[in-house]
Amino acid sequence: LKASGVVLLEAQGASARLGLQRGDRIVEVNNMEITTAEDLQKVARQRSSMWLLTVDRGGRLLRMRVR
């Protein structure tokens, strides 16, 4: 079993306002697979009018649209 993604250790500020929770694992942003913190930083630097996040919360995949 191989898990990938970035696990949130805390959900404060913007991440909390987006509905993210401690322990959520961000696995995809705007159709880009997230396997490391560097992947997440890279996609976060891109300009986008909307973000589509795929989050694993306790084994359940959630899709979130963020403007």
Side-chain angles (χ1 to χ4, degrees):
L1 178 66
K2 180 183 174 194
S4 63
V6 174
V7 176
L8 290 178
L9 299 179
E10 294 183 28
Q12 298 178 347
S15 60
R17 285 191 298 276
L18 295 175
L20 296 172
Q21 300 176 7
R22 181 179 183 206
D24 282 353
R25 189 167 50 91
I26 300 171
V27 295
E28 194 175 277
V29 177
N30 290 351
N31 298 315
M32 179 181 166
E33 183 180 9
I34 303 298
T35 58
T36 66
E38 290 79 22
D39 290 342
L40 186 57
Q41 289 172 343
K42 181 179 175 182
V43 75
R45 285 190 292 264
Q46 298 173 359
R47 291 190 171 201
S48 182
S49 60
M50 182 170 43
W51 300 86
L52 179 60
L53 291 94
T54 303
V55 176
D56 180 331
R57 179 174 292 158
R60 207 171 112 218
L61 289 180
L62 306 174
R63 293 201 179 263
M64 302 177 174
R65 290 184 191 267
V66 181
R67 291 189 186 263

